[in-house]
Amino acid sequence: MKVFVVFLAFMMVFVSFMCYSSDMARYADMQRMLKLAAEDCAAAGALASDPEAYGRGKLAIDEDEAIGMGFEVMDAAALMPLFRRGTLSMDMKIYDDEKGYEGCEAYGLAQGMPSVVCTLEYTGADIFRLPFLQLRSLSRTAAYSWDDRTSGMIRTKL
């Protein structure tokens, strides 16, 4: 009987380790996919240049188009199996000649270069199955910036 009790104890510990290991793998996949989606949202938003402002000599990003493109990328990411159990939300900040560059230093961005910072947040059911671990939301932030010296875009890692 003692062997059976010890076997059950070991089995419960090993099953808990297996659950934790698979949940951590899913958590890492969710973080990676959320990061990629945030980078895509920021890049799509940064591509939405404002031709009218450019005609006036300013480097600006069309806010409505940038947010619309960001939502398209976010909606495509929300269809992934990892994110079906919850909701994705997006916060996009735009720094350019028209909106100003106040606060862009917090993201490591340079003044004078139009930039888009996109934060995606996933909120949903508990990711971990073990009762003593709880995580219901995760977020990732990515930034894209124009580089006026090369007329291209550079990615800023966050």
Side-chain angles (χ1 to χ4, degrees):
M1 186 69 174
K2 185 168 82 172
V3 174
F4 180 68
V5 172
V6 171
F7 168 75
L8 285 179
F10 275 127
M11 188 178 80
M12 288 188 64
V13 168
F14 291 140
V15 167
S16 295
F17 281 138
M18 286 177 43
C19 285
Y20 177 73
S21 176
S22 67
D23 289 347
M24 280 303 292
R26 186 175 63 218
Y27 171 72
D29 287 343
M30 289 176 82
Q31 283 283 6
R32 185 176 48 82
M33 295 309 292
L34 202 59
K35 175 187 173 193
L36 292 174
E39 287 178 353
D40 288 346
C41 284
L47 289 173
S49 62
D50 188 358
E52 293 176 11
Y54 187 74
R56 295 190 304 269
K58 294 184 177 184
L59 293 174
I61 296 170
D62 185 2
E63 187 171 6
D64 294 333
E65 187 178 347
I67 290 173
M69 292 170 76
F71 273 120
E72 285 182 25
V73 172
M74 184 191 72
D75 290 341
L79 297 176
M80 299 176 81
L82 288 172
F83 301 123
R84 285 192 182 153
R85 294 179 56 196
T87 59
L88 285 177
S89 61
M90 180 183 70
D91 179 38
M92 186 177 282
K93 295 178 183 170
I94 298 173
Y95 302 103
D96 60 14
D97 290 346
E98 287 187 341
K99 295 162 198 66
Y101 296 98
E102 185 176 325
C104 69
E105 296 87 16
Y107 298 103
L109 302 171
Q111 296 267 348
M113 291 189 210
S115 307
V116 174
V117 178
C118 183
T119 301
L120 286 182
E121 183 175 2
Y122 168 81
T123 306
D126 190 12
I127 295 170
F128 294 102
R129 291 176 279 184
L130 296 175
F132 52 87
L133 296 173
Q134 290 185 355
L135 183 63
R136 288 183 165 69
S137 68
L138 25 125
S139 68
R140 292 301 294 243
T141 301
Y144 265 73
S145 178
W146 289 6
D147 187 0
D148 59 353
R149 296 168 296 206
T150 61
S151 299
M153 292 174 54
I154 59 172
R155 178 176 66 181
T156 305
K157 295 181 181 178
L158 294 178

